[in-house]
Amino acid sequence: ETGVTQSPTHLIKTRGQQVTLRCSSQSGHNTVSWYQQALGQGPQFIFQYYREEENGRGNFPPRFSGLQFPNYSSELNVNALELDDSALYLCASSPGPVGSGDYGYTFGSGTRLTVV
Amino acid sequence: AQSVTQLGSHVSVSEGALVLLRCNYSSSVPPYLFWYVQYPNQGLQLLLKYTSAATLVKGINGFEAEFKKSETSFHLTKPSAHMSDAAEYFCAVSDPGKFYFGSGTKLNVKP
């Protein structure tokens, strides 16, 4: 097992710009999900990808989008960045889709995004 | 939609004392429930999960949680707190295609 790795660890962007965050899932995990954790709050579910297709989404606008690749890597893209997008973004992988079993996600250490 | 409520955003205990972190869930069907721990500037680590095989679930680092359907609760306990337990703890519940976290409880352990 190699765990879940995220890159970069820190990032500063300007309002209105676009950003891509990357995640490498644990080997064999066909499900990845992304979370936004604002300072002092619990993680908020953004979306989940299962076998390269989105199959669950939280309350986030369409400017938050993602991709999952066959090699267990994935991306979170955010367009038209806003100041409120400043947060820790966490990626997590699982051997199966959440809610379909007692799968607990394995989390990465996150990317700290600051929008100025 | 599922949700979880964690009572108490901050809990402070003395080293060696009982740790009790509260979590209540809302669900019309038996849920999948989890507890995660987050140390400063790190991601989340799975402590334990409710699998419906047993109502008392044992996790890592001496933590355990009891599923009580009648009270819709899944409280986390540890008999004796250690300084290294100081962290933020999140209860979570899953729905098909979604995962909901509580707002977290910060545990402070006093020497």
Side-chain angles (χ1 to χ4, degrees):
Chain A
E1 295 184 351
T2 57
V4 177
T5 56
Q6 293 186 243
S7 62
T9 55
H10 294 82
L11 197 56
I12 300 175
K13 292 292 222 180
T14 302
R15 188 171 52 183
Q17 285 187 315
Q18 179 266 343
V19 69
T20 297
L21 309 182
R22 292 181 171 82
C23 172
S24 178
S25 297
Q26 189 164 313
S27 180
H29 283 189
N30 57 23
T31 303
V32 66
S33 60
W34 287 86
Y35 301 79
Q36 180 193 68
Q37 186 177 20
L39 203 60
Q41 297 183 22
Q44 298 294 313
F45 175 80
I46 302 175
F47 45 56
Q48 170 180 257
Y49 277 76
Y50 172 62
R51 293 183 175 173
E52 302 166 46
E53 291 195 5
E54 183 179 307
N55 81 332
R57 190 174 186 94
N59 205 20
F60 281 81
R63 59 189 185 85
F64 285 79
S65 63
L67 286 171
Q68 184 187 25
F69 305 102
N71 64 351
Y72 303 114
S73 67
S74 62
E75 293 179 353
L76 165 65
N77 298 290
V78 186
N79 293 322
L81 284 167
E82 301 176 359
L83 296 179
D84 284 349
D85 295 332
S86 295
L88 179 68
Y89 287 85
L90 296 163
C91 163
S93 71
S94 169
V98 71
S100 65
D102 60 355
Y103 302 115
Y105 276 118
T106 300
F107 280 82
S109 298
T111 294
R112 174 75 61 187
L113 173 66
T114 302
V115 182
V116 297
Chain B
Q2 305 264 22
S3 68
V4 288
T5 302
Q6 292 184 243
L7 297 176
S9 58
H10 291 79
V11 169
S12 186
V13 300
S14 298
E15 193 173 18
L18 171 72
V19 175
L20 171 60
L21 305 181
R22 300 178 186 274
C23 173
N24 288 88
Y25 66 91
S26 67
S27 174
S28 58
V29 297
Y32 296 111
L33 291 161
F34 309 85
W35 274 99
Y36 283 85
V37 61
Q38 186 176 35
Y39 296 97
N41 300 314
Q42 293 188 27
L44 288 89
Q45 180 183 9
L46 180 66
L47 275 178
L48 51 81
K49 58 185 178 182
Y50 171 64
T51 65
S52 76
T55 56
L56 183 63
V57 182
K58 294 188 183 300
I60 62 172
N61 302 337
F63 284 94
E64 59 184 37
E66 186 172 8
F67 174 72
K68 291 187 176 180
K69 186 178 179 180
S70 60
E71 298 177 7
T72 60
S73 69
F74 191 56
H75 301 332
L76 182 71
T77 61
K78 182 173 180 178
S80 178
H82 192 272
M83 295 298 292
S84 61
D85 295 326
E88 189 158 18
Y89 293 79
F90 293 94
C91 181
V93 63
S94 68
D95 227 359
K98 294 186 181 182
F99 208 73
Y100 302 95
F101 282 92
S103 55
T105 298
K106 286 186 178 177
L107 176 65
N108 177 46
V109 182
K110 299 174 290 186

